[in-house]
Amino acid sequence: MENASDTIGINFILLGLFDYTQTHRFLFAVVLMAFLTSLMGNTFMIMFIGVDPQLHTPMYFLLSQLSLMDMMLVLTIVPKMAANYLMHNKSISPAGCGTQIFLLLTLGGGECFLLTAMSYDRYVAVCHPLRYPILMNQKLCLRMTAGSWLLGGVDGLMQAGATLSFPYCHSREVNHFFCEAPSLVHLACADTVIFEFFMYVCCILMLLIPLSLILASYSLILAAVLNMQSTAARKKAFVTCSSHLAVVGLFYGTIMFIYMRPKSYHSGTHDKVVSAFYTIFTPVLNPLIYSVRNKDVKGALRKWLVKHFNGLNSDHYSPKWHY
């Protein structure tokens, strides 16, 4: 049996998401469109939040961090997948594989904690509106954001290092379109029981505990909303919180499907489809959910469009004086 140091220089082979049939070429084009849409949507979201003073609040700062994580997530996965497909080259180096695992878990874990921070922000805004500036101040907001990135990074570093430390003495063909820890562990020719237990502990800390806090926050929010006398206030709270819950459901549902099943229950085809959803399509949906259902973001977009097109019209129609 070869050890990890003997195989560290041998590339992995990513079998990919698509073959070269007409149908799969069309699906590949759909993925590329989703990738570009995600980049543009999340970039615009960050830009609008940065330039509009009305959006300089903790809620929108956290939302800008969510957009940044989503943008980095698709950049971690899709360019390599597209390059491999177009160049008919399925290999990825161990260093490249470790980098993908690290970034994926850093961004995914960070998003888990960030969504928890966003649910706390909504809880304070709805249940304690008069104390909101005190309970959700700038220092706390920055600490929660930094903590989300840090905890995600620690998880990514530990799992990437542990995954690549296993010997892969048989097939190095990964039935996936990117390097994901469960898919690689499935190929290891060593006892991975301890590592799988470690992954479950991480999942409890990174998924179940934050999810429990999110559900607790929204349960308290729902109780407060139902007691509101104002119909307009109740509607606004429902719209904002339903957007957050939609994002939470999409993200946590797919992540838990991948990371909280025993190794024997993993199916290559199902894992690839679910992974494509949370790494490619969820980052597309997040800016759409928050922009379509959010009056403040739509207002910022409207002001930007009016200012932009008014500037173009004034430049186009302004007389040019020659002296």
Side-chain angles (χ1 to χ4, degrees):
M1 182 182 292
E2 301 173 58
N3 58 36
S5 61
D6 295 329
T7 60
I8 194 68
I10 304 174
N11 288 353
F12 292 98
I13 304 299
L14 297 174
L15 297 182
L17 187 60
F18 305 115
D19 54 34
Y20 293 94
T21 63
Q22 197 68 28
T23 302
H24 279 216
R25 286 194 177 99
F26 170 75
L27 293 175
F28 175 72
V30 171
V31 167
L32 284 186
M33 287 299 298
F35 168 68
L36 295 174
T37 303
S38 175
L39 282 185
M40 289 188 295
N42 286 296
T43 300
F44 280 132
M45 186 69 73
I46 294 170
M47 183 184 70
F48 294 146
I49 293 171
V51 301
D52 193 327
Q54 291 185 347
L55 301 183
H56 293 175
T57 64
M59 171 185 167
Y60 291 108
F61 175 75
L62 294 173
L63 180 55
S64 71
Q65 294 299 300
L66 179 66
S67 291
L68 179 60
M69 288 180 177
D70 283 341
M71 191 165 59
M72 291 179 64
L73 183 62
V74 294
L75 286 171
T76 299
I77 303 301
V78 178
K80 177 60 177 174
M81 181 202 74
N84 283 3
Y85 184 79
L86 294 173
M87 298 174 67
H88 298 258
N89 176 21
K90 298 183 177 181
S91 69
I92 183 171
S93 67
C97 203
T99 301
Q100 279 197 334
I101 295 173
F102 168 71
L103 289 175
L104 179 72
L105 291 171
T106 296
L107 297 167
E111 194 160 325
C112 289
F113 291 111
L114 191 67
L115 290 171
T116 307
M118 294 174 74
S119 70
Y120 171 76
D121 172 78
R122 290 300 85 203
Y123 161 73
V124 175
V126 174
C127 299
H128 303 282
L130 298 179
R131 300 178 63 198
Y132 182 82
I134 300 172
L135 296 177
M136 195 63 192
N137 56 65
Q138 184 181 19
K139 184 180 291 187
L140 177 61
C141 186
L142 291 174
R143 284 178 177 174
M144 289 194 298
T145 304
S148 298
W149 283 99
L150 179 62
L151 291 171
V154 170
D155 179 55
L157 188 62
M158 290 192 300
Q159 291 207 42
T163 302
L164 292 181
S165 69
F166 289 118
Y168 296 92
C169 49
H170 302 305
S171 173
R172 295 174 74 89
E173 292 185 345
V174 183
N175 189 16
H176 219 308
F177 59 96
F178 64 92
C179 287
E180 193 170 41
S183 299
L184 263 70
V185 171
H186 184 71
L187 300 177
C189 53
D191 186 2
T192 61
V193 173
I194 295 177
F195 179 68
E196 287 186 71
F197 175 75
F198 168 72
M199 285 185 65
Y200 274 110
V201 172
C202 284
C203 286
I204 292 172
L205 295 175
M206 306 286 287
L207 293 175
L208 294 185
I209 293 178
L211 182 60
S212 300
L213 294 173
I214 290 171
L215 293 177
S217 296
Y218 283 109
S219 298
L220 295 172
I221 290 171
L222 180 61
V225 168
L226 292 176
N227 290 325
M228 287 181 178
Q229 301 298 322
S230 170
T231 304
R234 191 185 303 124
K235 182 180 178 181
K236 182 179 179 180
F238 266 125
V239 167
T240 304
C241 295
S242 62
S243 299
H244 290 197
L245 282 174
V247 171
V248 168
L250 289 170
F251 182 75
Y252 273 92
T254 52
I255 289 284
M256 291 175 71
F257 181 84
I258 294 294
Y259 284 94
M260 296 205 69
R261 289 178 302 152
K263 186 170 75 170
S264 58
Y265 285 86
H266 280 263
S267 164
T269 303
H270 292 161
D271 287 356
K272 285 192 286 188
V273 172
V274 175
S275 294
F277 197 84
Y278 85 84
T279 58
I280 300 171
F281 294 106
T282 301
V284 179
L285 296 174
N286 285 352
L288 293 176
I289 290 171
Y290 280 108
S291 61
V292 171
R293 304 201 65 186
N294 191 295
K295 184 175 66 175
D296 294 332
V297 174
K298 286 191 290 186
L301 174 60
R302 193 178 301 112
K303 284 194 296 184
W304 182 84
L305 290 173
V306 169
K307 181 179 179 181
H308 179 71
F309 284 110
N310 283 346
L312 287 178
N313 290 335
S314 63
D315 290 342
H316 181 74
Y317 291 109
S318 60
K320 297 190 174 2
W321 303 97
H322 300 279
Y323 294 96

